[in-house]
Amino acid sequence: MKQSTTKSASLGRPSGRDSEKVRRDLLESARDHFLKRDFKAVSLREIASSAGVNGAMVNYYFGGKKGLYLAMVDELFESLDEKMRSLSDSSEFSIADFSHSYCLLLAENPWWPNFIVREILFSEGETKEEVLQRFSKMIAPKLLHAIGQEVEDGNYREGLNPELTLMSLMGMAIFPFLAAPMIERVFGMKIDESMANKLAEHNVALFMNGVVNQKQQVTEGTGS
Amino acid sequence: MKQSTTKSASLGRPSGRDSEKVRRDLLESARDHFLKRDFKAVSLREIASSAGVNGAMVNYYFGGKKGLYLAMVDELFESLDEKMRSLSDSSEFSIADFSHSYCLLLAENPWWPNFIVREILFSEGETKEEVLQRFSKMIAPKLLHAIGQEVEDGNYREGLNPELTLMSLMGMAIFPFLAAPMIERVFGMKIDESMANKLAEHNVALFMNGVVNQKQQVTEGTGS
DNA sequence: TGTACATCAGTGAACGCGCGTTCACTGATGTAC
DNA sequence: TGTACATCAGTGAACGCGCGTTCACTGATGTAC
């Protein structure tokens, strides 16, 4: 004898029409978890229960855990590609302006350097290659060219190595967001938007003119 | 009837005297694996087989996987603490000299920023706190003070924020080693000792004087 | 110096657990007649 | 407009696997007499 009714609260095809909602909920939940913790450290059951659906849905919609992960990565990159392009496509492109905007972009999306670094450093094979490919094509070549141009035009110091300069610039911009937990601990700073603004200005000033007191140096310089 | 002989090649207490060797081999193997991959991603069986011993030895010597991991972390920090102290204890301590030495130290121990960042970003609880504690006390306070002093003495620009400046400096120094796989791909650079030397010089020059062509600026400046 | 026995380093099979995945099943929805 | 049935979104139990850990056992080494 079968219990045909009231056995389970929600068995059978659901009555709502929002079939796409489950997919989106899973992606969102996956993003929340995967951006905080490692691929292996996050279980499907966690993701599914956060999304409020059955774990088997991950297989149903994405073909498995890896499928869900890659779908999430795709979505992230799409949104970032878009944002980065809008930063670098302005007609009057300057390194300083870009650095500033980039810093603010990072403040809005603090998970982003975090995610990239993790992928590049620790992920295995497949995803790593994919992320490297996408990331490397994204903006670096354009910046590299811009720096080279500035040197050629005599605006930047002669003999400045564009590659090393770009690395320095990226390091200055990205590191504070990477090290946010440590910085909050050691410096008692919160990495919010106002902080990012200060950081952006500081970085541009340091990048352009360094730390040395120019007044002093110029005075000494004219004497020699 | 028991097969008392030749059942296994190595059953019973081994004849050698090197009981400490197993411990050291395990630690070494653990370091090799844990520096490349995540805690969860590395299995005891992998570590043990690399070390050429039985997996149960991890429990025997370290009380479990976490015990082995913490023992490894302890060892790493001990060696780094020592090296860092020898860098910063010189009687005439200058930011520039330190940056240079630090860069070379990183080139010799490329796993180190890698490891710290991973711990800070992705590890869960316990180890994370421990690593944060140790790392934050290691050198940052001394550098922070040194930068503040330079500003006070008028050697560095007035109004320069020491915290932000230290962040920039660390970012410039550490990022290239973090992003090594990407840099090798995009720039075709190998991060070796000669590279580290160039990077160190570049960083110090950029940190001190920025990218702007000073000759040009000074010429313009005297006119105003 | 022999000998009996406790100790000790190490083995290898087995255990339980949580994981990703699979599968039989459910019942609302869409569709053909 | 009914009705029979295929489809489809979703469930929940179960599966096999690899993991960290445990445990009974081994046999060389150290020690007491």
Side-chain angles (χ1 to χ4, degrees), chain A residues 3 10 15 33 96 116-117 128 154 193 212:
Chain A
Q3 289 182 279
S10 57
S15 53
H33 284 92
I116 293 292
V117 167
K128 177 172 177 169
E193 201 176 331
V212 168

Side-chain angles (χ1 to χ4, degrees), chain B residues 93-150:
Chain B
F93 178 79
S94 89
I95 295 286
D97 285 352
F98 177 81
S99 302
H100 198 103
S101 311
Y102 189 60
C103 219
L104 297 183
L105 179 61
L106 290 185
E108 275 172 43
N109 307 275
W111 48 268
W112 146 238
N114 206 302
F115 171 71
I116 293 291
V117 166
R118 172 151 44 111
E119 277 300 320
I120 288 178
L121 289 186
F122 312 117
S123 75
E124 329 240 304
E126 314 171 47
T127 47
K128 176 171 176 169
E129 280 306 307
E130 172 87 10
V131 173
L132 258 175
Q133 286 275 3
R134 282 170 172 256
F135 181 62
S136 59
K137 281 180 189 161
M138 200 176 257
I139 188 65
K142 182 154 191 172
L143 288 173
L144 210 51
H145 179 261
I147 292 173
Q149 195 61 50
E150 297 280 15

Side-chain angles (χ1 to χ4, degrees), chain A residues 64-84:
Chain A
K65 192 187 188 183
K66 190 169 271 178
L68 173 58
Y69 186 76
L70 290 178
M72 181 209 74
V73 170
D74 267 3
E75 216 192 32
L76 285 190
F77 265 107
E78 220 165 293
S79 87
L80 268 167
D81 257 336
E82 199 182 326
K83 285 177 186 169
M84 290 290 282

Side-chain angles (χ1 to χ4, degrees), chain B residues 8-23 25 52-54 57 60-61:
Chain B
S8 167
S10 56
L11 217 58
R13 183 170 181 166
S15 53
R17 296 285 178 100
D18 45 4
S19 110
E20 262 301 293
K21 186 174 182 301
V22 174
R23 202 177 192 280
D25 284 353
V53 303
N54 191 289
M57 284 298 92
Y60 188 76
Y61 279 105

Side-chain angles (χ1 to χ4, degrees), chain A residues 19-138:
Chain A
S19 112
E20 261 302 292
K21 187 174 181 299
V22 174
R23 202 177 191 282
R24 276 186 289 108
D25 285 352
L26 271 175
L27 268 175
E28 205 170 309
S29 171
R31 204 185 53 219
D32 287 349
H33 284 92
F34 283 137
L35 288 181
K36 282 185 206 133
R37 323 222 312 284
D38 183 75
F39 181 79
K40 279 219 176 192
V42 177
S43 81
L44 281 190
R45 283 167 176 85
E46 280 181 88
I47 295 174
S49 99
S50 294
V53 304
N54 191 290
M57 285 298 92
V58 172
N59 248 272
Y60 189 74
Y61 279 106
F62 300 97
K65 192 187 188 183
K66 190 169 271 178
L68 173 58
Y69 186 76
L70 290 178
M72 181 209 74
V73 170
D74 267 3
E75 216 192 32
L76 285 190
F77 265 107
E78 220 165 293
S79 87
L80 268 167
D81 257 336
E82 199 182 326
K83 285 177 186 169
M84 290 290 282
R85 253 196 301 276
S86 75
L87 281 197
S88 66
D89 271 1
S90 75
S91 57
E92 36 180 317
F93 177 78
S94 89
I95 295 286
D97 286 351
F98 176 81
S99 303
H100 198 103
S101 311
Y102 188 61
C103 218
L104 297 183
L105 178 62
L106 290 184
E108 276 171 42
N109 307 276
W111 48 267
W112 147 239
N114 207 301
F115 170 71
I116 293 292
V117 167
R118 173 152 42 112
E119 278 299 318
I120 288 177
L121 290 186
F122 312 117
S123 75
E124 329 240 304
E126 315 172 46
T127 47
K128 177 172 177 169
E129 280 305 306
E130 170 89 9
V131 172
L132 257 175
Q133 284 276 5
R134 283 171 171 256
F135 182 62
S136 60
K137 282 180 188 161
M138 199 175 256

